[in-house]
Amino acid sequence: MDETIRQHKFVLDESEMPTTWYNLVPDLPSPPPPALHPGTHEPAGPADFAPLFPMDLILQEVSQERYIDIPGAVLDVYRQWRPTPLFRAHRLEEALGTPARIYYKYEGVSPAGSHKPNTAVPQAYYNKIAGVKKLTTETGAGQWGTALAFACALFDLECEVWQVGASYDQKPYRRLMIETFGAEVHRSPSELTNAGREFLKDPKNLPGSLGIAISEAVEVAASHDDVRYALGSVLNHVLMHQTIIGEEALLQMAKAGESAGPDVIVGCTGGGSNFAGLSFPFLREKLAGKMSPIIRAVEPASCPTLTKGVYAYDFGDTAGMTPLMKMHTLGHDFIPDPIHSGGLRYHGMAPLISHVYELGFMEAMSVAQTECFAAGLLFARTEGIVPAPEPTHAIAAAIQEALRAKETGEETVILTALCGHGHFDLTAYESYMKGNMVDEDVTDARLAEALLTIPSVG
Amino acid sequence: MDETIRQHKFVLDESEMPTTWYNLVPDLPSPPPPALHPGTHEPAGPADFAPLFPMDLILQEVSQERYIDIPGAVLDVYRQWRPTPLFRAHRLEEALGTPARIYYKYEGVSPAGSHKPNTAVPQAYYNKIAGVKKLTTETGAGQWGTALAFACALFDLECEVWQVGASYDQKPYRRLMIETFGAEVHRSPSELTNAGREFLKDPKNLPGSLGIAISEAVEVAASHDDVRYALGSVLNHVLMHQTIIGEEALLQMAKAGESAGPDVIVGCTGGGSNFAGLSFPFLREKLAGKMSPIIRAVEPASCPTLTKGVYAYDFGDTAGMTPLMKMHTLGHDFIPDPIHSGGLRYHGMAPLISHVYELGFMEAMSVAQTECFAAGLLFARTEGIVPAPEPTHAIAAAIQEALRAKETGEETVILTALCGHGHFDLTAYESYMKGNMVDEDVTDARLAEALLTIPSVG
């Protein structure tokens, strides 16, 4: 019943919204290894990507510029929900009894309910001005499919989405949301593609995976002249579009009186775009000697790409149609257990994040899903926002850090990203509340078997 | 592909958030008729309401003060999501080709996803400081139950919710959201109350109604010393708590360069709290001669309280346990068809709104649900926000007005409230998109029959 005035959210005016994306690559001591052509194993050039992406995005993928201007038409759409708020989690801190100060950047205010429109909108825009008629894509939990459907509706593009079978079955509301925005949704693996029909021959593939869904969407895009493919994470240009999150957070932390920056940044990682979006601008400050945050990726115990994968060239999809990328991978054949965080079930990690990890600029940890949902429920009942299962990983890690601060008495400043709300994931909360949820994990034997599928390169 | 800078949202700083609620009553030329004791038909006094509400709220219910201070502890919670944004619907205007300027105040950014926390939070607060342990309530679509569950979680109160059977069956996600915030949900009519058991004897009552659910929640509150009841609409104090919507919108319209105010305000009406919250501060300006907006309530064709009901004393609930209120009513026994706008299926209209309507200060119209969902779908695909079924009524009316402006060439300024998002209502959109939705309506014969249940008073 505290009646003192305390500020919960730190907002920016539309006029303070960043107008450039930040490219981390030129600030690193060495560049990330190039992608390789899947057949020749030679470095892939722009022409190799042209069947899938418009040239503007290919140039961003390999850009050495530190900053790239955000087009006016993209800014116009961003301004509907950006800048997004940065919240101080006063009530969560009270419940934990911690001296730590916990901040979260909330991306769930976007029309699609997550950070994904930050890249869906520019991807739709660049495809539109290149004359593309339709975009294909995959989606796991459905956050990405929703975002791309929204963006395509605004730019008058058709949109066709292959949704991972397990999520398609578990989350009908997410499919309906995608359809409400006007896109078409298929359960993957589907009968519509050669890849899908091939995967359907083995019953173990029925739940699908992001890798399988990517294979299907890529196949359709590559075989039609006026169709291109859009990826919701992993690639350099996608990570770069998301840096607007961290750029805004930098300004907002200063407004919150935290000009020295956070002591710890925690973010959940699937393909890595949300994590990179939040942390790369802070990493720039760290590399420049202006801040010194610990930067920590949090992944699910059942899909531990950074903590248990290997750093090697591997395919981005399961059928092996994409260029080879040097990344932390569990093997492109690896199908994670059907945990509720569908957005984190990807066999690889963004090559740029993998490179940063190898350079020693960040840490990684994994959390099992019951700990995540316990954290999500506490967060909902204190902060009032029901988090998507994916960011509950980051919240669980933030709570671990806040409880350490409680023991040491340190006023640790923790920053995390609440990358989306859980309105379409409530059956997962029900499963947790009823005590039906189990901690899906992965055995060493399964990991070893999957790692065998990684091709030998170089 | 317009790259000019146009402002989409008009925001206020936390420091600009109003710190008082506005009470319309003292500004009216005559006061609304008093509530009557259900047995004696004498004016009901504070003691008659004491079994249901804490004294602070009873005093607000009958207050003659124009402004009432919002307690600090309530402001502290409001500040998490308030002030809410006012949006200019540029893309919807473009799609309609209208010269009208359409603004919408968006309450879906609240933790519960609607305007309901504006009153749930103060109601929980005043009950908490009065020593109450548990609140009971009814909910239709579930917006109100979610809001009260959220507020009770913050103030450490137990919360028990009777949800209208039809909505309980149609919208499992909404129930899960309420449970995630820690409240208990029952399908109404239930076996847990005398009223519920009585209603269950007649199969026509199985889908439930707001009136039946109120009877159940009121019965439990009235029979326990440390339990009180909370209502999400209809009553004066509830409408007053919602005026923060209109007070903010007044400031934001000025920021948008519309100091002359809107030409037309349209809002959806069930019990009337969202409509009153948006329009009453503008009505104050109109009564003071400073603005001259047309103020128009929009109700569902299947539950046309203002347009086809009578103005008479009637019960707020179906079992006849509440005080009698002078209001526009279809009869407390009326059970509307199970349209998807569960929040608008109430047999009566707020007494204060009914009084304002009788005084001639506002208009009313009704819209059938397929027109509403067509409007909602167009809104989603242009503005990017999927509206709850309830505010699609207001959107449909705004579109009608914008198309009239297109014919006349007038730059009509339209203001409406998007009182909540439709994330839990996507099966309704599916039904519309598949062509399965019908226009539920009500025949004159059914209306005449229901009106017979209105008691003869005075």
Side-chain angles (χ1 to χ4, degrees):
Chain A
M1 222 59 68
D2 180 7
E3 302 211 0
T4 55
I5 292 184
R6 52 185 190 178
Q7 199 165 353
H8 290 273
K9 61 183 186 302
F10 303 90
V11 297
L12 301 172
D13 287 335
E14 283 187 33
S15 61
E16 296 173 283
M17 191 175 81
T19 57
T20 57
W21 294 301
Y22 169 58
N23 181 13
L24 174 67
V25 173
D27 282 339
L28 293 175
S30 65
L36 303 182
H37 187 281
T40 66
H41 293 193
E42 293 298 313
D48 295 316
F49 291 101
L52 296 185
F53 304 108
M55 197 46 67
D56 283 328
L57 290 175
I58 293 171
L59 293 176
Q60 288 183 4
E61 185 65 19
V62 297
S63 173
Q64 295 293 321
E65 299 293 319
R66 295 184 76 213
Y67 294 98
I68 290 182
D69 283 339
I70 306 175
V74 174
L75 290 173
D76 181 64
V77 179
Y78 276 0
R79 275 189 214 99
Q80 186 186 352
W81 73 93
R82 304 212 70 86
T84 61
L86 176 78
F87 285 102
R88 168 88 184 268
H90 286 294
R91 293 190 296 254
L92 175 62
E93 292 168 19
E94 279 175 2
L96 296 171
T98 179
R101 299 194 290 280
I102 305 173
Y103 295 88
Y104 57 98
K105 178 78 169 160
Y106 185 40
E107 292 290 309
V109 296
S110 85
S114 78
H115 64 297
K116 294 290 187 185
N118 295 334
T119 185
V121 172
Q123 288 196 51
Y125 167 76
Y126 288 119
N127 275 285
K128 180 70 180 182
I129 61 173
V132 173
K133 299 292 181 220
K134 179 196 275 196
L135 288 177
T136 65
T137 198
E138 77 294 334
T139 198
Q143 299 274 23
W144 169 241
T146 306
L148 195 67
F150 157 70
C152 286
L154 298 192
F155 290 104
D156 198 22
L157 288 166
E158 292 173 55
C159 182
E160 202 168 352
V161 180
W162 276 263
Q163 183 171 22
V164 174
S167 292
Y168 184 97
D169 300 337
Q170 274 172 2
K171 306 192 173 184
Y173 276 54
R174 193 48 92 169
R175 168 179 62 77
L176 289 174
M177 181 88 164
I178 299 171
E179 291 173 349
T180 299
F181 282 131
E184 199 175 351
V185 186
H186 311 296
R187 189 190 189 285
S188 171
S190 78
E191 292 282 358
L192 300 168
T193 64
N194 294 327
R197 285 185 292 270
E198 201 58 38
F199 286 119
L200 282 173
K201 289 178 183 166
D202 186 342
K204 90 168 161 74
N205 293 322
L206 278 181
S209 72
L210 281 168
I212 290 173
I214 293 172
S215 295
E216 298 202 83
V218 162
E219 178 185 320
V220 171
S223 54
H224 293 83
D225 272 352
D226 52 1
V227 180
R228 290 292 179 280
Y229 166 72
L231 187 61
S233 190
V234 177
L235 297 178
N236 294 347
H237 68 272
V238 179
L239 273 51
M240 190 184 67
H241 296 158
Q242 294 293 355
T243 57
I244 193 164
I245 301 173
E247 295 287 16
E248 287 180 3
L250 265 171
L251 300 174
Q252 289 165 311
M253 288 297 281
K255 288 204 179 192
E258 308 282 9
S259 302
D263 298 309
V264 183
I265 297 174
V266 286
C268 64
T269 46
S273 75
N274 158 66
F275 174 79
L278 178 67
S279 65
F280 280 5
F282 287 90
L283 179 53
R284 174 189 64 215
E285 303 302 300
K286 184 176 178 169
L287 294 172
K290 296 180 192 163
M291 289 183 179
S292 50
I294 294 169
I295 298 174
R296 188 177 295 139
V298 189
E299 53 189 21
S302 56
C303 193
T305 326
L306 285 168
T307 51
K308 292 194 178 171
V310 297
Y311 185 53
Y313 273 103
D314 198 1
F315 296 106
D317 72 319
T318 304
M321 291 191 282
T322 70
L324 289 158
M325 297 180 287
K326 185 95 181 257
M327 60 183 178
H328 286 260
T329 176
L330 298 167
H332 62 274
D333 206 26
F334 179 72
I335 297 187
D337 286 333
I339 55 166
H340 291 282
S341 298
L344 305 185
R345 294 175 69 242
Y346 184 61
H347 69 272
M349 176 52 59
L352 188 51
I353 291 178
S354 298
H355 182 59
V356 167
Y357 186 61
E358 288 297 311
L359 289 170
F361 295 142
M362 56 173 278
E363 305 176 355
M365 62 180 283
S366 70
V367 188
Q369 71 174 347
T370 53
E371 180 179 345
C372 295
F373 275 89
L377 206 62
L378 177 63
F379 192 90
R381 292 180 183 179
T382 51
E383 293 298 306
I385 302 172
V386 180
E390 291 80 3
T392 63
H393 289 76
I395 294 167
I399 288 175
Q400 284 187 15
E401 197 65 46
L403 292 177
R404 270 194 288 276
K406 185 179 182 177
E407 285 191 10
T408 63
E410 283 176 282
E411 295 186 3
T412 313
V413 177
I414 303 167
L415 171 64
T416 189
L418 182 54
C419 58
H421 62 64
H423 295 172
F424 302 102
D425 306 287
L426 289 168
T427 50
Y429 280 91
E430 182 179 39
S431 165
Y432 175 75
M433 289 188 287
K434 287 189 170 167
N436 296 334
M437 188 178 283
V438 292
D439 273 339
E440 307 282 8
D441 207 336
V442 56
T443 62
D444 289 346
R446 264 187 72 199
L447 278 178
E449 186 187 350
L451 292 174
L452 288 176
T453 67
I454 299 172
S456 296
V457 174
Chain B
M1 222 60 65
D2 181 6
E3 303 210 1
T4 56
I5 291 183
R6 53 185 190 179
Q7 198 164 353
H8 290 273
K9 61 183 186 303
F10 302 90
V11 297
L12 301 173
D13 286 334
E14 284 187 32
S15 62
E16 295 173 284
M17 191 176 82
T19 57
T20 56
W21 293 302
Y22 169 59
N23 181 15
L24 175 67
V25 173
D27 282 340
L28 292 176
S30 64
L36 303 181
H37 187 281
T40 65
H41 293 191
E42 293 298 313
D48 294 317
F49 290 101
L52 295 184
F53 303 108
M55 197 48 66
D56 283 328
L57 290 175
I58 294 171
L59 294 176
Q60 288 183 5
E61 185 65 21
V62 297
S63 173
Q64 294 296 318
E65 298 294 319
R66 294 184 76 213
Y67 294 98
I68 290 183
D69 283 340
I70 306 175
V74 173
L75 290 172
D76 181 65
V77 180
Y78 276 0
R79 275 190 215 99
Q80 187 186 352
W81 73 92
R82 305 211 70 87
T84 61
L86 176 79
F87 285 103
R88 168 90 184 268
H90 286 294
R91 295 191 296 255
L92 175 61
E93 293 168 18
E94 279 175 4
L96 297 171
T98 178
R101 299 194 290 279
I102 305 174
Y103 295 88
Y104 57 98
K105 176 78 169 160
Y106 184 40
E107 291 291 308
V109 295
S110 85
S114 78
H115 65 297
K116 294 291 188 183
N118 295 333
T119 184
V121 172
Q123 289 195 51
Y125 167 76
Y126 288 119
N127 276 285
K128 180 69 179 181
I129 60 172
V132 172
K133 299 292 180 219
K134 180 195 273 196
L135 288 177
T136 65
T137 198
E138 78 293 334
T139 198
Q143 298 274 23
W144 168 241
T146 306
L148 195 67
F150 157 69
C152 286
L154 298 192
F155 289 104
D156 199 20
L157 288 166
E158 292 173 56
C159 183
E160 202 169 352
V161 180
W162 275 263
Q163 184 172 22
V164 174
S167 292
Y168 184 96
D169 300 338
Q170 273 173 4
K171 305 193 173 185
Y173 275 52
R174 191 48 91 170
R175 168 179 62 76
L176 290 174
M177 182 87 163
I178 299 172
E179 291 173 347
T180 299
F181 282 132
E184 199 175 351
V185 186
H186 311 295
R187 189 190 188 285
S188 171
S190 77
E191 293 282 359
L192 299 168
T193 64
N194 293 328
R197 286 185 291 271
E198 199 59 37
F199 287 119
L200 282 173
K201 289 178 182 166
D202 186 342
K204 90 170 161 73
N205 293 322
L206 279 181
S209 72
L210 281 168
I212 290 173
I214 293 173
S215 295
E216 297 203 83
V218 162
E219 178 185 318
V220 171
S223 54
H224 294 83
D225 271 353
D226 53 359
V227 180
R228 290 290 179 281
Y229 166 72
L231 187 62
S233 191
V234 177
L235 297 178
N236 294 347
H237 68 271
V238 179
L239 273 50
M240 190 183 69
H241 296 158
Q242 294 293 354
T243 58
I244 194 164
I245 301 173
E247 295 286 16
E248 288 180 3
L250 265 171
L251 301 173
Q252 289 165 311
M253 288 297 281
K255 287 204 180 192
E258 307 283 8
S259 302
D263 298 309
V264 183
I265 297 174
V266 286
C268 62
T269 46
S273 75
N274 158 66
F275 174 79
L278 177 67
S279 66
F280 280 4
F282 287 91
L283 180 52
R284 175 188 63 213
E285 303 302 300
K286 183 175 178 169
L287 294 173
K290 295 180 192 165
M291 289 184 179
S292 49
I294 294 170
I295 298 174
R296 188 178 295 139
V298 189
E299 52 190 21
S302 55
C303 193
T305 325
L306 285 169
T307 52
K308 291 193 178 173
V310 297
Y311 186 52
Y313 272 103
D314 198 2
F315 295 106
D317 72 319
T318 304
M321 293 191 282
T322 70
L324 290 158
M325 297 179 288
K326 185 93 181 256
M327 59 182 179
H328 285 261
T329 176
L330 298 167
H332 62 274
D333 204 28
F334 179 72
I335 297 186
D337 285 335
I339 55 167
H340 291 282
S341 297
L344 305 185
R345 295 174 68 242
Y346 185 61
H347 68 272
M349 177 52 59
L352 188 51
I353 292 178
S354 298
H355 181 59
V356 167
Y357 186 61
E358 288 297 310
L359 289 170
F361 295 141
M362 57 174 277
E363 305 175 354
M365 63 180 282
S366 70
V367 188
Q369 72 174 347
T370 54
E371 180 179 344
C372 294
F373 275 89
L377 205 62
L378 176 63
F379 191 90
R381 291 180 183 178
T382 52
E383 293 299 305
I385 302 172
V386 180
E390 291 81 3
T392 62
H393 290 76
I395 294 167
I399 289 174
Q400 285 187 14
E401 197 66 45
L403 292 177
R404 270 194 289 276
K406 185 178 182 177
E407 285 190 9
T408 63
E410 282 176 283
E411 295 186 4
T412 313
V413 177
I414 303 166
L415 172 64
T416 189
L418 182 54
C419 59
H421 62 63
H423 296 173
F424 302 102
D425 306 287
L426 289 167
T427 51
Y429 281 90
E430 183 179 37
S431 165
Y432 174 76
M433 289 189 286
K434 286 188 170 167
N436 296 334
M437 187 178 284
V438 292
D439 274 338
E440 306 283 6
D441 207 336
V442 55
T443 62
D444 289 345
R446 265 188 72 200
L447 278 179
E449 187 188 349
L451 292 175
L452 288 176
T453 66
I454 299 172
S456 296
V457 174

